[in-house]
Amino acid sequence: MSRTASAIPVASRISGFVYAIRNIVAEARKVEASGRKVRYLNIGDPISFGFRTPPHMVQAVERAMRDGFNGYAPSVGILAAREAVAAECAGRGMPMTPDRVVITSGTSEGIELALTALAGPGDDVLIPVPTYPLYTAVLAKIGARAVFYRTDPSRGWQPDIEHLRSLISPATRALVVIDPNNPTGATYSGEARSALVDLADRHNIPLLADEVYADLAFDGPVPAIAALNPDAPVITFSSLSKAYLAPGWRMGWLAVAAPPRLDDVLAGIKKLADGRLCSNAPMEHALVAALTGDRSHQQAFRGALRERAALTSTRFNAIDGITCVPPTAAFYAMPKVQLPAGTTDEDYVLGLLRATGVLCVYGSGFATAPEDGFFRVVFLASPAELDEIYGLIGDFTGEFLSARTR
Ligand SMILES: Cc1ncc(COP(=O)(O)O)c(C=O)c1O
């Protein structure tokens, strides 16, 4: 390369594409390089904590590959997979036909396809705060604006419906609902769910229902939000990543309710799906095996999560300066540390990482205010390891707070 050549710039949209859950790993690597063991509580991957993909799903992928299903699949996915998803939706109370299902590379691709089909520059999308950060990242990429509605920790992280209602405008193109929720571990009340779906219906705003944790509510599977109002314009998203313990397979789906209101949107999504040819073809066969086969692993998984959730909220609430809403689903908790003036959630989380090797994600990575002191913990490690980790967090918090309030 010529010595005078300058660095080649990236497109300006890259600066808005932020995904803290992975971005923060660069800091952890530095701590590891200094010789300290890092405990990665940043990413919601059950496999990296010893949970195992059900064997019948693995066998289905092996069989599909041996049987020669290694070519491109239809861009919307094989019929058997779409039939299985349609039956799954119907079982959750959301009437569905296979022609309104698209098989995707994880929930993530479904989210990106739907947002791209719905919104562009000048458009608004209503997003919960705290949020799963892919939503804001994709909106930055497509040039649409994230408009945040509050969810309230003092009411178990339920959505603030009045606040949400006040944000609806002619520019609103979609409403994102994540229930059960990452990062808060909340499940929404029946009242909140009805209010959300009715708002979408009345204002003719597509409700993007991220239901990837629907099977991981501790009290048992949550029905589809679309079941509460079959006329409402709802697109549901889910995958094999969480409740079927196969996140690396990148296998998910979306399903579009409310014909004919959402027919143009469905056609737009399918057009975009054509451009990426198809999702992972052999894994589509495993999707059929997963949705039509044995689910007993889910009950065991929910039990393990319930135990860890209780340990998590009990231990955090016993730490001076920290409060934590007890999670009711998934494997996340969002504790709050009472930060001294002038410090941020990032100061606290990076301080914790450097002092103890424990890696969490600061709340501002999920769009909470940096001074509010929220941080997210993934509680998939064993109860014994979590116990040790929460001890380290307690000790560090005591030192962090006293050093800065002295
Ligand atoms: C709320 C939420 N939506 C979507 C995803 C992406 O999941 P997938 O692996 O299905 O793309 C995640 C992953 O953590 C998530 O927590």
Side-chain angles (χ1 to χ4, degrees):
M1 182 182 105
S2 149
R3 282 174 187 282
T4 54
S6 54
I8 295 165
V10 296
S12 58
R13 71 172 69 86
I14 295 298
S15 65
F17 195 92
V18 181
Y19 192 85
I21 298 169
R22 291 217 170 192
N23 299 159
I24 196 176
V25 171
E27 284 306 316
R29 297 274 185 251
K30 287 187 211 157
V31 170
E32 246 167 6
S34 75
R36 186 187 279 286
K37 176 181 168 187
V38 171
R39 321 232 205 179
Y40 288 90
L41 303 194
N42 62 316
I43 201 149
D45 179 356
I47 302 299
S48 59
F49 293 92
F51 293 94
R52 287 289 160 257
T53 313
H56 67 280
M57 289 169 53
V58 176
Q59 283 155 15
V61 176
E62 286 173 349
R63 202 177 319 114
M65 288 184 172
R66 270 200 309 271
D67 290 351
F69 292 108
N70 300 303
Y72 291 127
S75 49
V76 289
I78 60 172
L79 179 60
R82 288 181 291 117
E83 282 172 347
V85 169
E88 174 71 12
C89 292
R92 292 176 183 279
M94 178 182 190
M96 187 50 57
T97 49
D99 59 315
R100 302 185 73 81
V101 172
V102 178
I103 308 299
T104 56
S105 295
T107 314
S108 305
E109 191 190 39
I111 291 166
E112 179 147 10
L113 289 172
L115 287 174
T116 307
L118 279 166
D123 293 331
D124 288 356
V125 175
L126 294 164
I127 304 278
V129 64
T131 184
Y132 177 64
L134 180 64
Y135 290 98
T136 39
V138 170
L139 291 180
K141 190 161 101 177
I142 62 181
R145 190 166 72 114
V147 175
F148 293 107
Y149 65 92
R150 285 192 294 263
T151 63
D152 183 357
S154 71
R155 293 189 304 114
W157 289 114
Q158 296 298 306
D160 182 339
I161 303 294
E162 283 321 306
H163 184 230
L164 169 59
R165 203 190 304 272
S166 75
L167 299 171
I168 294 173
S169 81
T172 308
R173 295 289 292 129
L175 160 61
V176 171
V177 175
I178 308 170
D179 176 31
N181 192 272
N182 174 13
T184 63
T187 35
Y188 292 171
S189 67
E191 197 187 353
R193 285 159 57 85
S194 294
L196 289 164
V197 80
D198 291 346
L199 269 184
D201 185 14
R202 200 161 337 114
H203 294 271
N204 208 24
I205 299 170
L207 188 157
L208 306 187
D210 185 330
E211 303 189 310
V212 71
Y213 298 104
D215 284 327
L216 298 183
F218 307 150
D219 288 341
V222 175
I225 196 167
L228 293 165
N229 180 343
D231 295 328
V234 177
I235 307 179
T236 182
F237 304 85
S238 193
S239 76
L240 298 186
S241 296
K242 311 295 179 176
Y244 293 90
L245 299 165
W249 290 5
R250 313 309 302 126
M251 182 46 36
W253 62 88
L254 63 82
V256 181
R261 263 208 265 187
L262 281 173
D263 286 4
D264 288 350
V265 176
L266 174 61
I269 289 172
K270 287 184 178 177
K271 208 166 155 183
L272 291 169
D274 281 346
R276 67 29 158 162
L277 301 178
C278 65
S279 70
N280 303 313
M283 277 66 176
E284 293 191 10
H285 295 265
L287 174 56
V288 179
L291 295 185
T292 59
D294 176 38
R295 300 186 185 194
S296 53
H297 71 277
Q298 289 184 348
Q299 201 169 351
F301 192 30
R302 281 191 294 267
L305 296 176
R306 184 197 282 277
E307 180 191 0
R308 287 161 173 77
L311 173 71
T312 300
S313 54
T314 307
R315 289 296 302 271
F316 274 114
N317 283 318
I319 298 172
D320 266 352
I322 292 190
T323 50
C324 180
V325 177
T328 54
F331 26 77
Y332 309 101
M334 191 83 168
K336 176 185 169 81
V337 57
Q338 204 62 52
L339 288 176
T343 57
T344 65
D345 53 5
E346 200 169 336
D347 296 333
Y348 173 80
V349 163
L350 292 180
L352 175 69
L353 169 67
R354 289 172 191 142
T356 66
V358 174
L359 179 66
C360 302
V361 185
Y362 36 88
S364 47
F366 304 91
T368 58
E371 64 278 12
D372 283 354
F374 288 106
F375 59 104
R376 189 193 73 168
V377 177
V378 171
F379 54 75
L380 284 163
S382 69
E385 189 175 2
L386 288 175
D387 204 49
E388 202 185 313
I389 288 169
Y390 298 152
L392 293 170
I393 295 179
D395 293 345
F396 169 78
T397 304
E399 284 159 29
F400 182 88
L401 296 183
S402 64
R404 283 167 178 77
T405 46
R406 237 180 253 144

